Amino acid sequence: MSSPVPAAVASASALSARGLRYQVTGRSILDDLDLEVPPGTSVAITGPSGCGKSSLLNCLAGITLPAAGTITVAGHDITTASPSRRAALRLAHIGMVYQFGELIPELTALENVALPGLMSPARPHEVYVRAEELLGELGLAGLRTSPTATLSGGERQRLAVARALIGSPDVVLADEPTGALDGKATQAVAELLFALPAQRRCALVVVTHAPAVAERGDTVLILADGKLESVR
Ligand SMILES: Nc1ncnc2c1ncn2[C@@H]1O[C@H](COP(=O)(O)OP(=O)(O)O)[C@@H](O)[C@H]1O
Ligand SMILES: [Mg+2]
């Protein structure tokens, strides 16, 4: 059983990365990279394919360990935590959205949204109540019992956002969340995502190739030569 997650130390940032270094097959992908995302703010990250955006998000989520550097999420250092504690911290503090939704096709919309909560210490009944609330808040109540396989790409991504919110995360990380959508669905999903920091006080990091999505970020950064540089 994983140990309980202790209280966070005080931190102005919901998400903080200092001095990150990470290599893939001898090539430096992250090179002394820093990032600070205060609660209630958003960052958009762009950069050419293969520059390391997904690698960076995987480090920020505690899925991949950087070779050096420190990452804190809601004040918790995830770089020195054991794998089981990283998983517990991820469940408690981080929501993830991927390019293709990564929903489970055999489950209904409601079950997909509830699923991460059912892996947390929360009571299942409360998780399902919260999942119902989220579907309502995100305008997805009509999809409640829909088999996931019948949904459009835009509906799937909206559900993926709802699922990311089931644990009331301090940090939401999205990797090309509109990469598989047409223009109209792209705008709807981008609007939903970039409204989250103001609505829920979370920090939001969105990796995207789409200029119309990136420009919604409070800060727009480009990943180049292993570092984040300001675009605006
Ligand atoms: N598991 C892996 N094994 C080998 N190379 C990898 C692996 N994951 C990523 N890479 C390489 O690391 C680099 C960065 O990948 P990635 O972070 O996915 O970039 P991006 O998301 O910006 O397209 C690429 O050159 C990619 O081919
Ligand atoms: Mg990628």
Side-chain angles (χ1 to χ4, degrees):
M1 207 166 84
S2 61
S3 55
V5 177
V9 296
S11 169
S13 289
L15 175 64
S16 170
R18 297 275 170 85
L20 293 193
R21 293 185 191 279
Y22 180 66
Q23 293 192 337
V24 174
T25 57
R27 183 161 76 91
S28 181
I29 300 289
L30 308 179
D31 180 16
D32 200 20
L33 179 144
D34 297 320
L35 176 66
E36 300 286 338
V37 193
T41 69
S42 60
V43 173
I45 297 177
T46 62
S49 189
C51 73
K53 304 179 298 298
S54 295
S55 302
L56 171 60
L57 280 194
N58 286 337
C59 287
L60 297 177
I63 293 167
T64 305
L65 271 184
T70 302
I71 298 163
T72 60
V73 175
H76 302 279
D77 185 344
I78 60 169
T79 36
T80 54
S82 67
S84 64
R85 191 166 136 68
R86 285 208 306 276
L89 288 168
R90 193 159 51 241
L91 259 173
H93 298 290
I94 299 175
M96 310 270 307
V97 180
Y98 295 96
Q99 181 170 356
F100 299 106
E102 310 295 346
L103 301 169
I104 296 180
E106 290 81 4
L107 302 183
T108 64
L110 180 70
E111 289 165 341
N112 267 285
V113 172
L115 191 58
L118 298 174
M119 292 187 276
S120 79
R123 288 166 53 193
H125 173 71
E126 286 164 11
V127 171
Y128 275 106
V129 169
R130 172 96 182 108
E132 298 259 16
E133 281 171 7
L134 277 170
L135 287 179
E137 288 165 22
L138 272 55
L140 299 168
L143 305 180
R144 191 181 167 283
T145 57
S146 303
T148 309
T150 64
L151 303 177
S152 72
E155 288 169 337
R156 277 203 286 274
Q157 287 306 73
R158 292 169 69 83
L159 267 185
V161 174
R163 181 185 55 188
L165 298 174
I166 190 72
S168 302
D170 297 283
V171 177
V172 174
L173 304 173
D175 194 353
E176 307 273 12
T178 65
L181 303 181
D182 63 21
K184 195 167 163 222
T186 289
Q187 288 308 327
V189 169
E191 196 166 320
L192 183 63
L193 274 172
F194 282 97
L196 299 178
Q199 285 171 355
R200 296 167 195 269
R201 289 295 292 165
C202 60
L204 173 69
V205 179
V206 177
V207 161
T208 182
H209 275 113
V213 175
E215 71 185 15
R216 290 176 183 261
D218 296 322
T219 309
V220 184
L221 304 172
I222 185 164
L223 180 57
D225 299 327
K227 291 187 177 60
L228 290 169
E229 295 169 7
S230 188
V231 174
R232 73 152 168 76

